């Protein structure tokens, strides 16, 4: 039976994979979002760090602040989750969900308006061709 070797990543591997700078990774580490092991001066990132990095980047795109991402990770990692922590996590998720749903509605309205304007402009162009 082969020993179970944990997959690890260097700072440059993760920076390249996610198209970010090593400085960004160090910043995320300073904020407690990532917790690489150290081997001399080198950082060794675990599979868990890689997942957290992907979630952090996705969370930022969806409008979560880095502080909110840290809070979610802390709530998720809490070994003995308390009722208040879970309520806090549920409330935070509900608030973000509502915000994203509002953004989605706004985007759909703008897209419908753009579609209508596009149709009207094309119809006008078509009429101009025949005159």
């Amino acid at each position: 039976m082969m020993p179970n070797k944990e997959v690890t990543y260097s700072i440059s591997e993760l920076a390249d994979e996610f198209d970010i700078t090593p400085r960004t990774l160090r910043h995320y580490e300073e904020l407690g979002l990532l917790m690489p092991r150290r081997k001399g001066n080198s950082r060794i990132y675990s599979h868990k760090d890689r997942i957290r990095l992907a979630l952090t980047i996705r969370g930022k795109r969806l409008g979560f602040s880095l502080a909110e991402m840290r809070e979610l990770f802390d709530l998720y990692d809490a070994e003995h989750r308390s009722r208040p922590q879970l309520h806090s996590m549920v409330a935070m998720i509900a608030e973000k969900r509502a915000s994203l749903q509002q953004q989605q509605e706004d985007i759909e309205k703008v897209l419908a308006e753009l579609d209508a304007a596009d149709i009207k402009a094309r119809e006008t162009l078509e009429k101009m061709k025949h005159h």
Side-chain angles (χ1 to χ4, degrees), residues 5 36 68 75 85:
K5 176 104 171 79
E68 287 172 321
L75 290 170
Q85 282 178 315

Side-chain angles (χ1 to χ4, degrees), residues 28 33 55-73 89 91-100 103:
Y28 291 171
L33 293 165
L55 290 172
T56 299
I57 291 169
R58 185 176 304 136
K60 278 185 62 181
R61 276 201 319 263
L62 295 175
F64 281 88
S65 70
L66 293 177
E68 287 172 321
M69 292 303 298
R70 168 69 195 271
E71 189 176 344
L72 281 172
F73 289 157
M89 187 172 187
M92 184 183 235
I93 290 169
E95 185 180 312
K96 190 52 68 175
R97 179 179 285 122
S99 172
L100 288 170
Q103 284 180 313

Side-chain angles (χ1 to χ4, degrees), residues 14-77:
L14 286 183
D16 289 346
E17 178 180 350
F18 289 94
D19 196 26
I20 57 176
T21 64
R23 173 72 191 103
T24 298
L25 282 165
R26 289 190 294 271
H27 180 64
Y28 291 171
E29 180 185 349
E30 289 165 9
L31 296 176
L33 293 165
L34 306 174
M35 293 167 225
R37 292 190 317 267
R38 294 295 187 117
K39 189 175 187 181
N41 285 337
S42 298
R43 289 169 168 83
I44 301 170
Y45 294 90
S46 67
H47 183 67
K48 181 179 177 180
D49 287 317
R50 186 184 171 282
I51 290 169
R52 282 177 166 231
L53 178 57
L55 290 172
T56 299
I57 291 169
R58 185 176 304 136
K60 278 185 62 181
R61 276 201 319 263
L62 295 175
F64 281 88
S65 70
L66 293 177
E68 287 172 321
M69 292 303 298
R70 168 69 195 271
E71 189 176 344
L72 281 172
F73 289 157
D74 287 349
L75 290 170
Y76 185 80
D77 286 345

